[in-house]
Amino acid sequence: MTTIDNLIEQHRHAELDRQPIAWNRAMWEKVWQDDDLPGHKALDAIDAEYRAHDTVRRSWLRELSDGDPVAFLVASTIWGYGNFGRGIKALRTMLQSREGSDVAETTADIIEASRRSPEAGFGSLFQGGKPRMPWLGIAYGTKVVHFAGYDHTQPPPLILDKRVWIGARALDTETPVPDPATHTTSAEYGEYCSWASSVADRHGVTPQHVEYALFTHGGSVRAAARR
């Protein structure tokens, strides 16, 4: 029997700032090779972070959200995609979607909203039912919301991607984790964050440990299904 309580016990000692994140600067340089797009200096910052810690720490990204919003957007996106080549198109399209100042303004607005509440942060990703920036939907948008708002509001916003949902669906008890591939409301996202925070309080861990436990479990479930 696999419950969220079992998962938390398995991962309660996980050092989330040591979570392995792939980094290939040469791959990500392709985002800027044909266009003078904003955010290129973020690669230098990621280089320094990776040399110092052999990964890109969640805590570093949270601190980065206090600075240049475009650098924060670039670093959060790279953290999410790792060495997954499709990320090149995704990030380039984000940066091309608006004039540079508008990318900064939109990202700054998402950061500010994420620090008010999970619901506000989630809602700020969308306008008229569509992402304000292409590719910045639920799975990758909530990474931005998470890093921007985690240290500023209770309950804190958490990442909601497919692996988190798969992990939740594979539990023996029902959880309020919505499917990020379907229409999800701010209220549903907020309910997920509140639930994860209550689980964390019960076990004496951080809310991000709950998200990480579901993410890891989802990866194991998906790998088993492919065998």
Side-chain angles (χ1 to χ4, degrees), residues 39-58:
H40 182 260
K41 289 184 179 179
L43 301 189
D44 292 335
I46 297 172
D47 256 343
E49 166 69 6
Y50 200 87
R51 284 197 304 270
H53 301 282
D54 293 322
T55 190
V56 179
R57 296 168 298 152
R58 290 185 182 224

Side-chain angles (χ1 to χ4, degrees), residues 41-192:
K41 289 184 179 179
L43 301 189
D44 292 335
I46 297 172
D47 256 343
E49 166 69 6
Y50 200 87
R51 284 197 304 270
H53 301 282
D54 293 322
T55 190
V56 179
R57 296 168 298 152
R58 290 185 182 224
S59 62
W60 180 75
L61 288 167
R62 295 198 299 269
E63 293 171 1
L64 201 64
S65 69
D66 291 328
D68 175 22
V70 178
F72 168 64
L73 175 67
V74 169
S76 298
T77 302
I78 289 174
W79 184 92
Y81 277 100
N83 285 347
F84 187 30
R86 194 168 66 168
I88 297 169
K89 178 180 179 181
L91 182 55
R92 182 188 294 135
T93 304
M94 286 182 205
L95 298 175
Q96 287 176 332
S97 65
R98 301 164 179 262
E99 295 297 328
S101 61
D102 286 344
V103 172
E105 289 168 8
T106 300
T107 306
D109 182 64
I110 293 170
I111 292 169
E112 189 275 331
S114 301
R115 293 177 173 184
R116 295 200 306 269
S117 71
E119 293 87 348
F122 185 89
S124 72
L125 295 171
F126 305 96
Q127 189 170 46
K130 296 181 179 180
R132 293 170 71 184
M133 280 191 278
W135 294 83
L136 201 66
I138 296 175
Y140 286 93
T142 57
K143 292 174 175 64
V144 172
V145 172
H146 167 65
F147 293 125
Y150 191 81
D151 290 334
H152 298 270
T153 184
Q154 290 295 329
L158 297 171
I159 298 168
L160 175 61
D161 60 19
K162 195 70 173 181
R163 276 181 61 169
V164 170
W165 178 76
I166 290 172
R169 288 281 293 177
L171 298 177
D172 292 328
T173 52
E174 190 173 344
T175 65
V177 180
D179 182 354
T182 64
H183 176 73
T184 299
T185 66
S186 294
E188 289 170 335
Y189 173 73
E191 185 180 8
Y192 153 57

